[in-house]
Amino acid sequence: MPVRRHVVSSLFLLLLILPVSLPAQARKPSSSRAGPSPRVAQLLRRLTVRQQVAQLIMLWIPGTYAAFDDRALDRVRGWVDTLQIGGIIVSVGSPMDIAAKLNFLQRRSKLPLLVGSDLEGGTSFRFNPGGTPFPTNMGVGAAGSERDAYQMGRVTALEGRAAGVHLTFAPVADVNNNAANPIINTRSFGSDARAVARFVAAAVRGTQDAGMLATAKHFPGHGDTDTDSHISLPVVRADWARLDTLELIPFRAAIKAGVDVVMSAHIAMPGLENGSMEPATLSPDILTGVLRDSLHFRGIVVTDALDMGALVSSYGPGEASVKAFLAGSDLLLMPTDPYAAIEAMIEAIGAGRIPRARLTASVRRVLDTKERLGLFARRTVNLDKLGEVVGRRAHRDTALSVSARSLVLVRDSLGLVDSLRAGPRRVSVVSYADGNTTQPVGGTLQAELSRRGYQVSGFRLTTASGPASYDSATAVLKSAPFAIFATSVRFGSGRGAIGMAEAMSRLIRTSAEARPTALVSFGTPYLLSQAPNVAAYLLAWTNNALTEEAVAAALTGAAITGRLPIDLPQGYPLGFAIVKPAR
């Protein structure tokens, strides 16, 4: 009899999840919080406690190619087959490799997998090569148009859904009000909370109108920190009055726009927790008291990665998951040991620490979201259609136009930019990329300048370059009357600070003493303090071929119209810009 009951139960579950139709396109997610559908209600009654807990776990996989019987996939197959986890977070890979791997896992899974990915600044952040690259959020903020934020969200959603991704962990809703912040930086739309709120709301609408779940992060605000939460626990020493009138403004806008997901931050806010230094991810006062009760958010609350240093150093994988769930989270991202996390959750439910009603509410949110996304009807994607959507010309043209509008000319003290725009010149281009840059910088810039008739001599430096390389770069600089430095210095987890190597900043300063020198930052805007004597300073926000194409056009006569979405410490206020009309 026990065996027969198991077979009947399995058949019933199978009937519940078999496709009933194959819609031409995935259903648009809705921010409606209505009660569960009959399908979800039946599933909730049939799933065991262990299966329900597993639905709340999302684990990370690489997006790179792997044969389906590759031993590298053994662990992932175990997560899907044995643990029956609820979701997958996919990282970098080509669109085809990502889509094929996700299809394979979806077919194995008893219930549809909710697939998330960190698609900040367009799909190219993960779909590499192939995805459409937009500027970072700060670049979109510099362009000044909410329509650009909407289009970035829309294109990202269309491409992501085509490859099997349902949830993007974007947009960042943090206000970048601390120039020393090593991890937010250009990921924020800017330092003006109300402007950030408008862009966040537009990005949410663009993403969700095109069928993908958007995530506002990192709640209640990660902008005013100078510590990387991947290393240790940042502390924001703000009271409720400051939080209410600054950090929470973009999150309120996201909720009003109907955002489906909010991600917690691994930061301590003792001003809200009676002096406690517990991370917001583990704080009921913040995730339930502020987010649920004060801001009336009814969607899914997701943790930031539970393997980050701010938590790993203090809590084991099991207790961290339990505390995050008790604080108010629904989805638990990347616990270091998912088996231990599930066992700890089951033990906490059995002991009464976690009420069954609380578990049911979170599982219902997850299952209801999967149904609204159309995953019970169709969970795989058509690989033949990828090339019609991901990286298509119309998407790249949109991204190029946003990139062009995002450029901000901060300084042109010797009229260097005007001289370059007057006609073809002989220039040297020295490029520099730090360890967080996934591709070389400067190649497209040099090619585009050459195509426009400029005589270009170039040299490439990295963080690994030694004295001999810097000597060679100096020789290249001496070969031309004008110098352009193209730098890609970006935020990155685990670094603790953002900046150029001292040898690089010294080379720029020396060049500026000898000839008109321009510094173009394809990354953080805060480099001027390391090269204060450059004649020209142009902010390009991110390193990709479209941005380099936009910079080449700007340096040879295209309009430069972006404005600072932040205050630069060297005395350049929010909204400042040197605007150049097209020649």
Side-chain angles (χ1 to χ4, degrees):
M1 288 299 291
V3 174
R4 182 179 179 184
R5 282 199 301 270
H6 175 75
V7 171
V8 171
S9 176
S10 299
L11 288 172
F12 186 87
L13 180 60
L14 181 62
L15 288 172
L16 285 175
I17 64 176
L18 280 174
V20 295
S21 64
L22 294 179
Q25 57 184 358
R27 300 175 194 171
K28 173 182 166 183
S30 166
S31 57
S32 170
R33 311 299 176 203
S37 70
R39 185 200 304 270
V40 170
Q42 288 174 328
L43 275 175
L44 282 169
R45 290 193 294 269
R46 290 290 175 174
L47 294 176
T48 66
V49 170
R50 181 177 296 276
Q51 289 171 324
Q52 289 187 39
V53 170
Q55 283 296 299
L56 309 180
I57 304 293
M58 294 187 76
L59 299 175
W60 179 94
I61 65 169
T64 49
Y65 174 80
F68 295 156
D69 62 352
D70 194 315
R71 289 178 179 174
L73 278 179
D74 283 349
R75 184 173 62 158
V76 180
R77 282 191 292 267
W79 294 340
V80 172
D81 299 348
T82 306
L83 280 185
Q84 299 178 33
I85 58 172
I88 289 290
I89 305 161
V90 67
S91 190
V92 179
S94 77
M96 185 63 72
D97 289 336
I98 287 173
K101 184 179 287 187
L102 292 177
N103 276 357
F104 168 71
L105 295 175
Q106 289 283 22
R107 291 188 181 103
R108 295 184 72 95
S109 182
K110 289 184 172 63
L111 290 174
L113 294 165
L114 179 66
V115 179
S117 192
D118 205 339
L119 303 179
E120 296 179 27
T123 55
S124 68
F125 191 50
R126 295 301 184 215
F127 295 4
N128 188 9
T132 297
F134 279 82
T136 56
N137 284 348
M138 197 169 282
V140 174
S145 170
E146 294 168 38
R147 178 173 174 77
D148 289 340
Y150 181 93
Q151 290 291 354
M152 179 173 67
R154 185 186 70 86
V155 170
T156 299
L158 292 173
E159 296 190 354
R161 286 304 306 265
V165 178
H166 319 116
L167 163 63
T168 174
F169 299 120
V172 170
D174 302 315
V175 180
N176 194 67
N177 52 348
N178 188 333
N181 194 317
I183 197 62
I184 300 302
N185 199 266
T186 57
R187 301 166 71 193
S188 166
F189 284 105
S191 61
D192 183 308
R194 298 195 182 280
V196 171
R198 292 194 299 272
F199 291 121
V200 166
V204 167
R205 288 192 296 269
T207 302
Q208 296 189 171
D209 283 354
M212 177 177 278
L213 304 176
T215 304
K217 66 182 186 184
H218 309 81
F219 187 84
H222 204 321
D224 191 15
T225 68
D226 55 12
T227 303
D228 181 358
S229 57
H230 295 83
I231 303 173
S232 58
L233 182 65
V235 180
V236 176
R237 302 191 180 279
D239 58 14
W240 170 255
R242 210 291 290 278
L243 189 75
D244 190 42
T245 56
L246 184 67
E247 278 88 353
L248 290 184
I249 290 176
F251 289 99
R252 283 198 179 95
I255 292 169
K256 185 176 180 180
V259 71
D260 277 297
V261 184
V262 171
M263 177 182 284
S264 66
H266 296 336
I267 57 173
M269 302 196 79
L272 297 185
E273 301 181 81
N274 297 319
S276 170
M277 296 295 287
E278 196 161 55
T281 296
L282 309 183
S283 170
D285 289 341
I286 292 175
L287 293 191
T288 299
V290 178
L291 181 57
R292 294 288 193 199
D293 298 340
S294 295
L295 273 60
H296 307 294
F297 178 63
R298 297 294 177 261
I300 291 176
V301 179
V302 61
T303 69
D304 205 340
L306 292 173
D307 64 351
M308 292 168 67
L311 298 182
V312 172
S313 59
S314 301
Y315 306 94
E319 184 62 14
S321 298
V322 170
K323 289 179 70 66
F325 186 76
L326 287 171
S329 294
D330 299 300
L331 283 173
L332 307 173
L333 263 60
M334 297 167 56
T336 53
D337 184 343
Y339 293 88
I342 290 175
E343 290 300 330
M345 288 283 291
I346 293 172
E347 183 178 339
I349 293 165
R353 286 181 68 192
I354 296 176
R356 287 293 297 270
R358 170 74 177 82
L359 173 67
T360 300
S362 290
V363 177
R364 179 185 292 122
R365 287 191 186 101
V366 173
L367 294 177
D368 179 62
T369 298
K370 291 181 179 183
E371 182 166 60
R372 289 188 289 111
L373 288 164
L375 301 185
F376 287 106
R378 181 170 183 172
R379 63 177 76 176
T380 59
V381 297
N382 187 341
L383 300 184
D384 292 337
K385 296 291 185 181
L386 271 178
E388 298 177 11
V389 180
V390 180
R392 64 186 298 233
R393 183 179 300 175
H395 292 173
R396 295 180 69 84
D397 287 347
T398 297
L400 177 59
S401 66
V402 177
S403 298
R405 288 190 291 274
S406 76
L407 304 180
V408 180
L409 184 59
V410 176
R411 177 187 292 177
D412 190 22
S413 60
L414 299 178
L416 170 56
V417 173
D418 287 333
S419 296
L420 291 173
R421 288 159 62 92
R425 297 285 188 268
R426 188 157 49 91
V427 297
S428 57
V429 177
V430 175
S431 62
Y432 171 85
D434 68 2
N436 288 308
T437 301
T438 58
Q439 56 189 7
V441 65
T444 300
L445 173 62
Q446 292 182 47
E448 288 294 318
L449 289 174
S450 297
R451 190 174 66 83
R452 288 167 166 81
Y454 288 68
Q455 295 176 275
V456 181
S457 53
F459 197 84
R460 180 173 293 160
L461 295 167
T462 69
T463 51
S465 297
S469 295
Y470 277 92
D471 289 343
S472 298
T474 299
V476 169
L477 290 167
K478 291 178 179 178
S479 68
F482 300 98
I484 299 172
F485 283 86
T487 63
S488 178
V489 179
R490 303 176 65 249
F491 63 88
S493 61
R495 295 178 61 196
I498 303 177
M500 295 183 289
E502 174 55 29
M504 183 62 187
S505 61
R506 185 167 56 247
L507 179 65
I508 298 173
R509 293 194 300 269
T510 301
S511 174
E513 292 170 357
R515 66 193 60 84
T517 297
L519 173 57
V520 183
S521 177
F522 293 92
T524 178
Y526 302 112
L527 295 182
L528 198 53
S529 62
Q530 291 187 275
N533 61 337
V534 292
Y537 188 41
L538 181 67
L539 299 180
W541 309 109
T542 190
N543 170 29
N544 60 59
L546 294 184
T547 302
E548 292 194 31
E549 184 178 337
V551 168
L555 293 178
T556 58
I560 306 176
T561 60
R563 295 186 174 275
L564 282 177
I566 53 170
D567 293 295
L568 283 185
Q570 290 74 25
Y572 298 96
L574 176 74
F576 176 82
I578 300 174
V579 175
K580 300 285 186 182
R583 282 183 62 244

